Amino acid sequence: MSEKQITVSSDESSTGSLPREGGNESNVDIVLTYVKIVGVGGRHIGEKSLIRKIDWRIVPIMFACYTMQFIDKVLINYAAVMGLPKDLKLQGNQFTWAATSFFIAYLVAEIPTGYLLQKIPAGKYLGANVILWGIATGCTAAANNFTSLVAARVFLGVFEAAIAPSLTIITGMWYTTSEQPPRFGLWYCGLGLGQLVGGIVSYGFQHVKGESLEGWRVMFIVLGIVTVVVGAVTLLLLPDTPMTASFLTEEEKVVAINRIGGNQTGIGNRSFKWSQIKELAMDMQIYLMILVTILCSVSSGVITTYSATLIRNFGYTPPIAALLNMPSGVVSITVTILSGIAVGKASNRWLWITGLAIPGALGGGLMSFLPNSNRGGLLAGIYLVNSIVAVLVITFNWLSANVAGHTKRTVSMSLVSGAFSIGNIIGPQTFQAKDAPNFYPAKIAVLATQAGAALVAIILRVYYRWQNSKKEKRSAVTQNLPQDFMWLNLTDKENPNFRYVY
């Protein structure tokens, strides 16, 4: 690498210097130290076979974690029709507040998560938190009143806050920008599987007639144990980085690293840089990402917490309501896979967010304005609203591709994950006891917020095109980039070669 320093203009017209190889190692990516020792030369490794090898180790673990995260979060949805409110003597809006407490804790926990993920390997941090939220899920069975139920949900929210930022970081360190969307989609399909499994599990446990434990309590205990097992597997088998992956040879590690250099987002750096926090605070894309996440998450909060209740209010028995919630999982899986493949091929993230909002808004309209006698149309509305769930994974992928600089990336991912919890706080709060059984204000909120998400996605597309045009004009005056510039922990604004995808 050249010892010559070069000046880089940021989008705020500030100047700075690229760190030199012989400079402070805390300023550069951990890969740079590794390649000094091992080298970066090409090896006789087939890239396709290497990708398959990585896929089979990494994706199933991420998929299992996200599946259990969703199931554990929504068990309260199924428990609501299994007698939990009656057994705990909940009154008025107490069930709504119990559901909301999870997301309040989730939001607060994102503040330290952004810092801890800078210091702790994402795989280890994720595995530990999966075990802890599995314990919290099992402890929910011990709740005997509103206060104890809220306590269990708060701990569950604190530990589940690790899931989205961790999985986003892990996906970004293993796959190229074009490979990331389908992998994001694969692990995010855990949400759809969670909806399918949740319906079956709820139906089954509603037939448990124990003398000492109600069916919903047994359900929490069993699923909690399953989650702890998944967390233990994650701790043991998910590597911290490609450099420490025991399932890869040294040659395969070098190829894996070289493959993702073109992302220009790096793999990891343990130094927390306040300069990147300052840049993040002034970056318009972060605020737009937060807004689109909040808007799409309002309907997610409604469906996550109240879909089984809504279906039961259509006149179905609790066991049948649990089963009729399962097609929502089919919709979630379908739109997630289709959007992941399409975005990976055409990089049209803004268009898919806008397109997915259309059936979501249509579903909100059916839920809002059809009479209760039209049960088929109302069920179709609930199923269509689930198309919006894919927007969140597209947003996380968009963020992963467009934010560089390790401190900026980890903190921005935590902020957007926190925005998800804000939407989920708003969603259940639109359900007020006084609006039962139709809950028209909540249904109209679903319709309005999904239309708003589509509008913000279009604004993001215009913003990124504008930023790229500015970079094109400035790139002509930037010369002599160091050979290893992609490992210098530069932010997307500091790096003159960085281009935003949309």
Side-chain angles (χ1 to χ4, degrees):
M1 183 189 300
S2 172
E3 289 294 322
K4 180 180 178 182
Q5 286 186 312
I6 66 173
T7 300
V8 183
S9 297
S10 73
D11 285 350
E12 280 75 39
S13 301
S14 61
T15 60
S17 297
L18 294 177
R20 295 176 294 177
E21 184 176 352
N24 185 355
E25 294 295 338
S26 67
N27 289 330
V28 299
D29 197 284
I30 56 178
V31 167
L32 199 55
T33 301
Y34 179 81
V35 297
K36 286 181 187 177
I37 301 171
V38 179
V40 294
R43 298 293 193 271
H44 301 292
I45 300 295
E47 189 170 354
K48 289 185 178 180
S49 62
L50 176 61
I51 295 172
R52 284 197 299 270
K53 193 173 184 179
I54 294 171
D55 282 342
W56 281 109
R57 170 57 71 91
I58 304 299
V59 175
I61 295 175
M62 295 195 295
F63 176 82
C65 289
Y66 207 82
T67 299
M68 297 314 302
Q69 178 265 348
F70 183 81
I71 290 175
D72 292 343
K73 177 176 63 179
V74 303
L75 283 181
I76 194 172
N77 180 8
Y78 297 107
V81 298
M82 295 171 66
L84 179 147
K86 179 182 178 181
D87 293 335
L88 301 189
K89 298 179 174 60
L90 301 185
Q91 299 177 353
N93 293 320
Q94 285 186 330
F95 178 79
T96 293
W97 278 109
T100 302
S101 64
F102 168 92
F103 294 103
I104 295 174
Y106 191 106
L107 174 62
V108 174
E110 290 297 349
I111 298 173
T113 293
Y115 178 79
L116 292 171
L117 279 172
Q118 183 79 34
K119 300 293 184 179
I120 304 172
K124 294 289 189 296
Y125 188 73
L126 174 62
N129 277 277
V130 173
I131 291 173
L132 291 170
W133 92 53
I135 295 172
T137 298
C139 289
T140 307
N144 54 16
N145 55 34
F146 171 69
T147 303
S148 54
L149 176 63
V150 168
R153 297 292 293 179
V154 165
F155 279 107
L156 184 66
V158 167
F159 300 130
E160 285 202 11
I163 186 72
S166 296
L167 293 185
T168 302
I169 290 171
I170 292 167
T171 308
M173 76 169 62
W174 286 98
Y175 298 102
T176 65
T177 300
S178 62
E179 293 167 353
Q180 287 177 23
R183 272 72 184 187
F184 270 88
L186 284 172
W187 60 252
Y188 196 76
C189 280
L191 184 151
L193 179 63
Q195 289 173 305
L196 291 170
V197 172
I200 296 172
V201 167
S202 175
Y203 180 83
F205 280 106
Q206 287 186 57
H207 293 83
V208 174
K209 306 296 182 183
E211 295 182 0
S212 57
L213 290 177
E214 295 88 346
W216 64 267
R217 295 187 192 273
V218 179
M219 180 176 69
F220 277 105
I221 293 172
V222 172
L223 271 298
I225 293 172
V226 173
T227 301
V228 170
V229 172
V230 170
V233 171
T234 302
L235 271 177
L236 293 172
L237 298 182
L238 189 63
D240 296 337
T241 67
M243 293 87 75
T244 61
S246 60
F247 70 97
L248 297 180
T249 66
E250 290 299 324
E251 291 184 345
E252 289 172 333
K253 293 175 185 178
V254 171
V255 175
I257 291 169
N258 288 337
R259 290 180 63 255
I260 63 169
N263 294 355
Q264 302 184 54
T265 53
I267 287 180
N269 180 279
R270 302 294 177 231
S271 177
F272 195 85
K273 301 188 69 172
W274 287 103
S275 61
Q276 294 188 8
I277 297 298
K278 180 180 179 181
E279 180 181 301
L280 182 152
M282 301 174 66
D283 194 344
M284 181 58 66
Q285 68 166 323
I286 304 300
Y287 295 101
L288 292 172
M289 287 284 187
I290 288 173
L291 182 56
V292 74
T293 303
I294 291 174
L295 290 170
C296 75
S297 297
V298 169
S299 56
S300 174
V302 170
I303 295 302
T304 297
T305 307
Y306 277 100
S307 58
T309 301
L310 286 171
I311 294 173
R312 186 187 64 182
N313 289 341
F314 297 160
Y316 296 102
T317 63
I320 298 301
L323 293 178
L324 287 175
N325 203 35
M326 291 173 60
S328 295
V330 177
V331 174
S332 298
I333 291 173
T334 301
V335 297
T336 299
I337 291 177
L338 288 177
S339 60
I341 294 173
V343 170
K345 290 181 178 296
S347 187
N348 47 9
R349 292 161 178 82
W350 72 275
L351 185 60
W352 270 92
I353 290 178
T354 304
L356 290 170
I358 294 174
L362 176 61
L366 291 174
M367 290 168 57
S368 302
F369 304 116
L370 287 180
N372 278 355
S373 58
N374 191 341
R375 296 198 295 185
L378 292 170
L379 284 172
I382 286 181
Y383 301 150
L384 285 173
V385 168
N386 281 271
S387 65
I388 202 70
V389 302
V391 170
L392 184 62
V393 72
I394 295 174
T395 303
F396 281 129
N397 170 242
W398 212 354
L399 192 71
S400 176
N402 281 350
V403 178
H406 298 297
T407 300
K408 185 179 180 181
R409 275 168 63 82
T410 55
V411 174
S412 65
M413 290 169 189
S414 294
L415 288 174
V416 172
S417 186
F420 164 76
S421 64
I422 292 175
N424 278 270
I425 290 170
I426 296 171
Q429 287 300 317
T430 60
F431 278 81
Q432 297 295 310
K434 62 183 177 61
D435 298 322
N438 295 317
F439 301 107
Y440 287 126
K443 297 172 182 177
I444 294 173
V446 170
L447 173 63
T449 53
Q450 294 193 68
L455 177 61
V456 177
I458 295 172
I459 294 173
L460 267 166
R461 191 256 186 240
V462 174
Y463 172 80
Y464 283 134
R465 183 67 187 91
W466 173 54
Q467 290 296 308
N468 282 349
S469 65
K470 290 171 64 178
K471 281 179 172 285
E472 292 290 344
K473 293 177 182 177
R474 288 172 176 157
S475 63
V477 300
T478 305
Q479 299 177 352
N480 300 324
L481 277 174
Q483 181 182 358
D484 296 326
F485 74 95
M486 71 283 292
W487 307 122
L488 297 182
N489 194 19
L490 300 176
T491 67
D492 49 282
K493 291 188 177 296
E494 291 171 337
N495 185 348
N497 280 3
F498 193 95
R499 295 295 182 270
Y500 297 103
V501 299
Y502 49 81

